Every structure is written in C-alpha cells, then in structure tokens.
Amino acid sequence: MTKRALISVSDKTGITEFAKTLIKNGFEIISTGGTSALLKKEGIDVKDVSDITGFPEMMDGRVKTLHPKVHGGLLYLRENPGHVKQAEENGITAIDIVAVNLYPFRETVANPNVTLEDAIENIDIGGPTLLRSAAKNFASVTVICNPADYAAVADELNETGDISYDLKKKLAVKAFRHTADYDSAVDTFLSKALLDEKVKRLSFVGGEKLRYGENWHQEATFYKDLNGSGPNISNAKQLHGKELSYNNYIDMDNALLTLKDLNSENPAVVIVKHNNPCGLATGKTLKEAFLAAWDGDPISAYGSIVCVNRAFDVETAKLLDKKFIEIIVAPSFELEALEMLKKKSETLRIMELKNFDQPFDSEYVYKHVTGGLLEQTRDVGLFEKWEVVTNAPFPDSKKGLSEFAMSACKCIKSNSISIAYEYESGCYMLLGMGAGQPNRVDSIGKLAAPKARNNLKEMYDRNEELQKAMTYEEYVKQVFSECVMASDAFFPFDDSVVYANEFGLRYILSPGGSIRDAEVIETANRLGVSLVFTGMRHFLH
C-alpha cells in the first residue's frame, strides 16, 4: 500500500532533503503552490493537491487543501471498519505524513508599518486545519510543523522504515501548541487593530511540581517559557541536591537580577535571603568577593542562596565549610570544587546557569494579582542624570561605588536603603541594607546603618592590626565617612538626611522629585552632606 505525505510549507528550510528521504522510503508526495514548484524544480516527483481533490487551487491560494479527500485522508480511523468503508466509497486515500508550516503572520505584524490588509492576507487557514487534523489522528498520521523535526522523522524512517508512536505523540502536541500560539498572535493583533482592545496571552510549558509553595501547606508548580533564552532560571541545570521549592525560584531570580544589573567586570558574589540581597560584593578574586559579601550580613546569610558571576573555584568552595547554604548558582564549576560541594551536603542544590554574560531576552515583567495580571517594562538602568545639588562636592572617584550602591538598592524591597563601601581599590561591598519598610527613616536608622555598624564590629574584632591603630568608634567614623548611601526613591522629608548624617554618612544618592526637595537640599547643605539626584526611581514591590 503506497504511503503518502502532504507537504505545504512557507519556510522551505530543509524541505528538499526531507522530501528526498520520503521518496527513498516509498512515499508519494502531494504538495501545493510554491512548495510543489520548488520540489519539481529539484527533480522530485510531486503530485499536486488539485490532482487529489479534483479542484484547482483558487482565490489566490486561499482555497487549496480544504477538501474531504484531503481531510478525510487525515482523519479517518484506520482501525474503524466503518471509516475505512466510507473512505473507499468516496475515493479517499490515507495521508500518512503532513509537513506544514504556516504563513509568517507574526513576522508580518512585527513590522510597525504593516497594513491591516497585509496582516489579514498572512492569516493561514488551511495550514492550521491540516496540522490539527493530522495531530488529532496522531496514532496514524505523523505531523511536522517545524523544520527542526525533519531530522528526527528521517532518522526513524531510515532506521526502521516507520515512525514510532512516541515521536508521533510528541509531534502532535507540538502541532497543537503551535496552532494555539498562532491563533493567539492573530487574536492579539486583530483585537487591537479592529476593536482597540489589548490582549495578553502567555504560554508556559513543562509544569514541574515543586516541593511546596511559599509555605509547606501550599502546592506549587514551575512552568518554563519555551521562548526564554540567555541567563534565566528556567535554563539553569541542577547538578546536585534535593528538589527546589517555590521560594528557591524566587530567591534565585533575585540573585540573578542583582548580579546582572551590577554588570561587574570583576568577580562578584550576591547572597540572597527572603528575596533580598543581604550580601553583595565585588573583588579581585571570587574568594575575596565572597568574603566581603558574607561580611555584609553573616547572620542573614545562614540558609541563603549564593550566586556568582564566575566559575565557582576551589578556593571559594573551601570557604563554605561549616556554612549552611541552600543553593549555589554559577555559570560553571571547577571539577574539584564541584566534588567538594557535593561531599559537603547531600541536600545542597548546585545550579549551573550558562550564558551568564548574555542580555535578558524579555523586555517585560509580569505580576499576577487577584483577578488580573500586571505588565510593565523591565527596570533597566540606574541613573537618568547625575546632578550634585548640594554645596559639598560629590567626588567623581565615588561614581563606581555609587553605581554599585544603586544596583544593590534597586534589587532590595522598597522602601530600600543600601550602604556601600569601597573596602579595597575598585572592590565594593554592601555594608548594610534596609528593606521592605513602610517608611524610609526606619530603613536607615533602624536597619541599614545599625546593620552596617554591627558588620564593622565583627570585621574590627578579628583584625588585630586595626585594633592597634584605632578604636572601634574611630574605625566606624572613618568607614562611614567614605561610604555611599543610596535610596530607591526620593526623600519626602529631610529626616532621612538627618538620620544618615547622625551615623556619619556624607555621600547620598536619591532620585529626587519630592515637593520638599528644596528643604532636603537645605538640610544637607547645613550638615555638610553631599547629595546627588539621579532622576530614576527604583521601587521594588
């Protein structure tokens, strides 16, 4: 019994080679329009679909495959005697393979100058119908909607002369997913063009059940964005450790965003706890950066997530002895370091995240709320301007530290404050942070500055040479006088500047924009504080 394949493709990549494979394996090829012309030009024996249907392709190609002799050949159940009898009575012959890809609708409407007429002409009708018919009867029909799958089908035909059920079902699901995404694109465009309504359809796949949600009694699932590329959590490969939970994904994402936004040329380490970077540092080596990041909040670092922007090396792995870490994320791991980490704990999750140096591929971020979805563009950038608004100068030598401080601040939950210190030439650390407070004064006076003092106390106590040189208070005064404090939003009153000055902080970054900016500037001038307005707010909720 002759096997038949129907080929009708807009993207003709690899189609000639695939057709030759089909011919070699005993298939008769049916084709349409431009595909048929191409295959014939390549010397491939092709039967036009009009020869099957008895009707010519008509209406500028709008009608060509929508016919019972095509769809009957796809849909009839081979094991159903009634179906077989009806097919024979009506001259319907089985079609065993369908290779179809669709008019380039999404590519067409991506052009900002596209006309409605052009968009409509690129809405495929027959193609999706062929794919759906073939996919519905996948037990008997192989459906291919992506040229990348030609090789898998060809390999099985060449090896066994047939196509496995496993491959057929995978291709069927891919076809239904493809037509669903295609219809969504049409809906999104026409809703806006015809009705002036915005529609957002999102597609995520591969739902993986997680250990639990935010809390033990909650269930959770992680879905992947098939179109996601570059450095994103869905592309991370787990090399070791127990299953991930909902909070693990949230924290890993925060860690990734923090380091990517930092964009450091030096080795950098971020330590994240409860969706906030509690430790962040750069260094000449990864070991140095890790030690400085850990010093940013040794208490909060317990049970944290560590993310680095370099290969995780042996010297850094040695530092984790007697330190409880939940997850380590790195672009790669030195082999010896990886073995050390595996031996450290059976539960430690080790995540390899390649392509770390690539940019994010998504322009938008989303947040689900009860009954709806919020969409916004990604928070890109640190400053819109650099305006020193006080009499006290803000040295250019502090700009690198200022960028580091604001990078940290924008990844901390609002109202956020970061205090950053250049502990070595060109190497920066997050010395203290205040997160998630209803008012900015508490973020400064109750969290960030006291935390920075406590961290300095631990650093002072273990440095005997430093203790000989100065008292602890002298050390704090010296360090704070060189730190940069960043605020994610403007100061509604001058009290934030007053509190910062009481702790000895002299260099402050703020977006500005308050109706009391003049009062804030006046207070800063009175106290001798240097204040820069950046013009860019970084709320994170």
Side-chain angles (χ1 to χ4, degrees):
M1 187 174 179
T2 302
K3 296 177 288 185
R4 300 196 305 168
L6 192 156
I7 300 176
S8 180
V9 293
S10 175
D11 178 359
K12 295 177 174 55
T13 303
I15 196 60
T16 300
E17 294 77 10
F18 183 58
K20 290 178 180 178
T21 298
L22 294 177
I23 293 288
K24 186 178 72 172
N25 282 275
F27 280 82
E28 176 183 86
I29 294 180
I30 308 165
S31 193
T32 63
T35 307
S36 176
L38 172 66
L39 296 179
K40 288 177 180 177
K41 184 180 177 181
E42 295 295 325
I44 298 171
D45 188 21
V46 176
K47 183 174 288 189
D48 290 330
V49 74
S50 57
D51 295 332
I52 304 298
T53 64
F55 282 86
E57 295 185 22
M58 61 181 70
M59 301 172 186
D60 298 321
R62 286 190 171 206
V63 180
K64 47 193 175 188
T65 59
L66 296 170
H67 193 279
K69 287 194 174 182
V70 173
H71 288 277
L74 294 173
L75 285 166
Y76 87 83
L77 298 176
R78 277 56 165 173
E79 71 281 4
N80 185 315
H83 285 199
V84 173
K85 184 173 183 294
Q86 291 174 55
E88 291 173 349
E89 290 173 348
N90 290 280
I92 294 173
T93 308
I95 298 174
D96 306 286
I97 290 180
V98 168
V100 169
N101 51 62
L102 310 179
Y103 294 167
F105 178 80
R106 279 171 284 200
E107 294 81 356
T108 299
V109 299
N111 182 348
N113 299 317
V114 66
T115 64
L116 180 60
E117 291 75 16
D118 283 344
I120 288 174
E121 284 307 309
N122 278 279
I123 298 175
D124 203 328
I125 303 300
T129 308
L130 286 171
L131 291 177
R132 290 172 63 82
S133 292
K136 179 174 180 176
N137 201 16
F138 68 89
S140 300
V141 182
T142 302
V143 58
I144 310 165
C145 62
N146 189 328
D149 293 317
Y150 294 155
V153 174
D155 287 345
E156 289 202 359
L157 283 173
N158 289 332
E159 289 175 11
T160 68
D162 201 358
I163 302 163
S164 67
Y165 179 77
D166 281 346
L167 182 55
K168 285 179 179 179
K169 67 182 182 182
K170 289 176 184 177
L171 293 175
V173 170
K174 182 177 285 191
F176 279 122
R177 188 175 295 162
H178 184 59
T179 57
D181 291 342
Y182 192 85
D183 287 341
S184 293
V186 174
D187 172 32
T188 300
F189 177 82
L190 290 184
S191 293
K192 179 61 179 174
L194 300 181
L195 304 178
D196 198 28
E197 293 179 358
K198 285 188 174 182
V199 173
K200 176 62 63 177
R201 294 185 181 272
L202 302 176
S203 178
F204 295 86
V205 301
E208 176 187 351
K209 186 173 177 59
L210 305 180
R211 293 180 66 224
Y212 48 79
E214 283 184 288
N215 302 289
W216 297 334
H217 62 279
Q218 293 173 268
E219 295 183 357
T221 306
F222 177 71
Y223 295 90
K224 294 178 105 175
D225 179 359
L226 267 185
N227 298 316
S229 61
N232 65 66
I233 297 304
S234 69
N235 289 334
K237 179 181 179 182
Q238 185 166 357
L239 304 180
H240 181 71
K242 62 184 178 181
E243 303 93 332
L244 295 165
S245 72
Y246 180 97
N247 293 337
N248 294 152
Y249 276 99
I250 299 295
D251 286 346
M252 285 193 296
D253 193 53
N254 181 279
L256 173 62
L257 291 171
T258 302
L259 280 196
K260 286 294 292 179
D261 197 73
L262 190 62
N263 195 28
S264 175
E265 294 182 359
N266 289 329
V269 175
V270 62
I271 301 172
V272 170
K273 188 72 173 289
H274 293 305
N275 204 19
N276 279 298
C278 60
L280 177 66
T282 62
K284 302 298 184 187
T285 65
L286 194 64
K287 175 183 177 180
E288 186 178 59
F290 179 88
L291 289 170
W294 195 268
D295 278 342
D297 193 342
I299 295 176
S300 297
Y302 178 86
S304 61
I305 286 175
V306 173
C307 184
V308 304
N309 67 347
R310 295 289 191 277
F312 209 91
D313 56 32
V314 172
E315 292 303 310
T316 308
K318 290 177 180 178
L319 298 177
L320 297 186
D321 186 40
K322 298 182 181 179
K323 289 181 171 62
F324 173 52
I325 301 293
E326 290 273 7
I327 301 174
I328 299 174
V329 184
S332 62
F333 293 82
E334 290 183 0
L335 185 58
E336 186 180 348
L338 180 60
E339 293 307 312
M340 288 176 62
L341 294 172
K342 286 180 177 180
K343 290 177 182 178
K344 171 180 166 56
S345 168
E346 291 184 359
T347 61
L348 172 65
R349 297 127 168 143
I350 302 173
M351 309 295 295
E352 183 180 62
L353 183 58
K354 294 184 180 296
N355 303 320
F356 198 93
D357 57 342
Q358 293 184 11
F360 289 123
D361 66 340
S362 175
E363 181 183 356
Y364 298 98
V365 292
Y366 301 91
K367 184 180 289 289
H368 180 264
V369 294
T370 305
L373 183 76
L374 294 167
E375 175 189 79
Q376 66 173 344
T377 55
R378 191 178 294 281
D379 183 5
V380 177
L382 295 175
F383 310 140
E384 286 185 354
K385 62 180 181 179
W386 181 268
E387 181 183 3
V388 181
V389 295
T390 51
N391 297 331
F394 201 112
D396 286 344
S397 60
K398 294 286 183 188
K399 280 193 175 180
L401 181 60
S402 298
E403 291 174 353
F404 176 90
M406 192 58 80
S407 290
C409 194
K410 69 179 287 190
C411 294
I412 299 169
K413 296 295 183 180
S414 299
N415 284 314
S416 67
I417 291 291
S418 65
I419 298 174
Y421 175 51
E422 186 171 8
Y423 67 95
E424 182 183 339
S425 178
C427 299
Y428 312 124
M429 67 177 292
L430 180 62
L431 194 59
M433 55 83 91
Q437 299 306 299
N439 68 77
R440 201 161 301 280
V441 171
D442 282 351
S443 286
I444 299 170
K446 294 183 179 180
L447 294 175
K451 176 68 69 176
R453 283 184 58 92
N454 289 341
N455 292 336
L456 288 175
K457 182 68 165 63
E458 292 191 21
M459 294 161 66
Y460 179 82
D461 286 346
R462 65 172 183 257
N463 191 327
E464 294 182 2
E465 293 300 317
L466 188 60
Q467 294 172 36
K468 294 176 182 177
M470 63 184 76
T471 66
Y472 164 65
E473 288 300 332
E474 290 172 337
Y475 175 54
V476 171
K477 183 177 180 180
Q478 174 184 297
V479 171
F480 271 37
S481 70
E482 296 299 328
C483 286
V484 169
M485 185 187 89
S487 171
D488 64 347
F490 62 64
F491 299 128
F493 303 98
D494 67 350
D495 48 5
S496 292
V497 175
V498 172
Y499 270 93
N501 179 70
E502 287 179 357
F503 280 95
L505 296 163
R506 300 190 305 159
Y507 301 105
I508 300 176
L509 303 176
S510 165
S514 166
I515 59 174
R516 293 184 175 84
D517 274 352
E519 177 184 330
V520 172
I521 294 169
E522 180 182 353
T523 298
N525 281 331
R526 176 172 56 82
L527 297 174
V529 170
S530 181
L531 179 62
V532 167
F533 282 169
T534 66
M536 182 178 280
R537 191 180 76 177
H538 294 295
F539 273 164
L540 180 63
H541 291 94

